[in-house]
Amino acid sequence: MKGEKKTQDDVVYEHIFDAILEQRLAPGTKLNEESLGDIFGVSRTIIRRALARLGYEQVVVLRPNRGAVVASPSLDEARQIVFARRVVEKAVTELVCENADANQIEQLKQMVRDEQACFDRGDLGAGIRLSGEFHLLLAEIAKNPPLLSFQRSLVSLSSLIIAQFEKGTAKSHCSYDEHFELIDAFAKRDKEKAVALMMHHLDHIEEKLNLGDEAEENDLKAIFSNVMSRKQSAPQA
C-alpha cells in the first residue's frame, strides 16, 4: 500500500494489525466496535470494514451478534500455522533470491538495524513488530501477491500462537543475526543456502513453542501450580 492514499479503514486495519504483531492485543481480546470508533474517531461502518479484512486474514474472529475478538488458535491450528509458514517462507525465499535488487537488499538491512536498535533499547513490542515486518517485506520483494496475502495472515497468526504457546516467560522474537545471514544469502542469490537458513530460522522459532501433545495438560498444571504445590507439601494422613 506504499505510495497509495490510505483510507480510514486502512489506517484502522494497520493499527490493529500492528498491535497484534507487537503482542499488545492478546488472543481472545474483544474488539468492541463502539470503543474502537471512539479511539480512532471514525464510524462503526469503518471499524466493521477493518475488522472484516482482519477476519478474512483469520487473525480476528467475527461472531454474529457477539462482536469480534482476536483469534485464539487451538493447538491443532497452531501446528497447521507452523506448517503453512514453512511452505510459504520457502517459496518466498526462493523468489527473493531471484528478484531482490541492491536497493531492496539495503532496505532489508536497514529494517534489521532498526529491529536490533529496538531490542537494544528495550522496546520489545516494536522489535517484535519489525521482526514480523521483515518477513512481510520479503514477501513484497518476492513479487507474488497471493504469497504476500498468505504471509500477512501467517505472520500475525504466528504472533498469536507465540503469545499462547510460548515456553517459559521470556518473550520470543526472531534473531536479527539470522536475519543478517539471510540477507547475505539473498545478496549472493544463493538460493540453496537461503532456504536452509530460513528453515533453520523457523526451527529456532518453533523450538520456543510448546506444541507437543502434552501442551494442554502442561498449561493446566501451570495454571494450578499453586494448588499442586500445596498438595505436595501437605502432611500425609
Side-chain angles (χ1 to χ4, degrees), residues 118-138:
C118 287
F119 288 124
D120 286 346
R121 67 173 180 264
D123 191 349
L124 190 62
I128 291 172
R129 174 175 50 77
L130 286 171
S131 295
E133 288 183 355
F134 174 84
H135 291 268
L136 294 179
L137 179 55
L138 293 182

Side-chain angles (χ1 to χ4, degrees), residues 58 74-87 154 161 211:
Q58 300 180 55
S74 68
L75 184 57
D76 282 343
E77 288 168 338
R79 291 170 180 153
Q80 292 165 11
I81 291 163
V82 167
F83 178 82
R85 180 86 185 264
R86 286 182 177 277
V87 173
L154 289 169
I161 66 173
L211 298 180

Side-chain angles (χ1 to χ4, degrees), residues 142-185:
K143 297 179 181 177
N144 186 301
L147 280 178
L148 175 58
S149 178
F150 295 149
Q151 188 73 312
R152 286 195 68 83
S153 176
L154 289 169
V155 166
S156 50
L157 285 168
S158 294
S159 188
L160 292 176
I161 66 173
I162 287 170
Q164 284 184 262
F165 298 102
E166 187 173 30
K167 296 175 183 175
T169 56
K171 288 280 187 183
S172 292
H173 55 80
C174 293
S175 164
Y176 42 76
D177 290 334
E178 292 175 3
H179 282 173
F180 277 125
E181 290 175 356
L182 278 164
I183 294 170
D184 185 58

Side-chain angles (χ1 to χ4, degrees), residues 105-234:
I105 292 296
E106 182 52 41
Q107 189 180 359
L108 288 167
K109 288 180 179 178
Q110 186 57 54
M111 179 172 281
V112 179
R113 287 192 286 265
D114 292 342
E115 173 193 354
Q116 184 175 8
C118 287
F119 288 124
D120 286 346
R121 67 173 180 264
D123 191 349
L124 190 62
I128 291 172
R129 174 175 50 77
L130 286 171
S131 295
E133 288 183 355
F134 174 84
H135 291 268
L136 294 179
L137 179 55
L138 293 182
E140 289 182 17
I141 294 170
K143 297 179 181 177
N144 186 301
L147 280 178
L148 175 58
S149 178
F150 295 149
Q151 188 73 312
R152 286 195 68 83
S153 176
L154 289 169
V155 166
S156 50
L157 285 168
S158 294
S159 188
L160 292 176
I161 66 173
I162 287 170
Q164 284 184 262
F165 298 102
E166 187 173 30
K167 296 175 183 175
T169 56
K171 288 280 187 183
S172 292
H173 55 80
C174 293
S175 164
Y176 42 76
D177 290 334
E178 292 175 3
H179 282 173
F180 277 125
E181 290 175 356
L182 278 164
I183 294 170
D184 185 58
F186 296 143
K188 294 175 180 176
R189 303 200 184 282
D190 189 338
K191 192 178 295 188
E192 184 177 349
K193 183 177 181 181
V195 169
L197 285 169
M198 181 62 79
M199 294 303 104
H200 184 62
H201 181 54
L202 294 175
D203 285 342
H204 281 174
I205 296 173
E206 189 174 348
E207 284 166 4
K208 298 174 183 178
L209 303 177
N210 187 13
L211 298 180
D213 291 332
E214 75 284 357
E216 291 174 326
E217 179 183 353
N218 287 344
D219 286 345
L220 286 174
K221 287 181 178 177
I223 291 167
F224 296 111
S225 59
N226 59 330
V227 177
M228 294 177 67
S229 62
R230 286 201 299 269
K231 283 176 63 179
Q232 289 169 357
S233 61

